[in-house]
Amino acid sequence: MSLYRPFIDDPKDIVRFEGQRFVVLRATGAVPDVHCHVRSLIKEQFADGDVSYPAQAHVTLIGFPRDAQLESARDLVARWAQSVAPLRLEV
């Protein structure tokens, strides 16, 4: 079993998104390694800038408002997932 890795780790983004719910797809295969490499290059180039970077390669499908209950969001996503074919994303 692997440890959870957050999609965001920037303290400003964590505060900004606090209490919100998002449905995200985690990237697999070679994408996480490429994301990490590109992220490091961009961070190096913009080292003096106030720029935020996603911690993990992912695609955000939907965001819910701050007052959305976690169980309601999970139930909605579970029902939706049963009604669609598996998703395939190409990068």
Side-chain angles (χ1 to χ4, degrees), residues 42-82:
I42 293 171
K43 281 180 118 173
E44 184 179 308
Q45 185 171 354
F46 295 102
D48 296 332
D50 185 19
V51 181
S52 176
Y53 308 89
Q56 301 295 322
H58 70 280
V59 174
T60 302
L61 292 180
I62 189 170
F64 294 92
R66 286 191 192 285
D67 59 351
Q69 296 298 313
L70 179 58
E71 284 306 312
S72 296
R74 283 182 176 163
D75 291 345
L76 176 67
V77 172
R79 287 192 310 273
W80 172 79
Q82 291 174 352

Side-chain angles (χ1 to χ4, degrees), residues 7-73:
F7 293 103
I8 59 169
D9 59 3
D10 183 296
K12 289 184 225 171
D13 287 340
I14 291 170
V15 169
R16 191 172 91 201
F17 296 129
E18 181 68 34
Q20 292 180 317
R21 311 289 185 207
F22 297 91
V23 176
V24 297
L25 302 176
R26 188 181 291 270
T28 60
V31 174
D33 291 338
V34 172
H35 173 268
C36 184
H37 177 70
V38 171
R39 176 183 162 160
S40 67
L41 294 174
I42 293 171
K43 281 180 118 173
E44 184 179 308
Q45 185 171 354
F46 295 102
D48 296 332
D50 185 19
V51 181
S52 176
Y53 308 89
Q56 301 295 322
H58 70 280
V59 174
T60 302
L61 292 180
I62 189 170
F64 294 92
R66 286 191 192 285
D67 59 351
Q69 296 298 313
L70 179 58
E71 284 306 312
S72 296

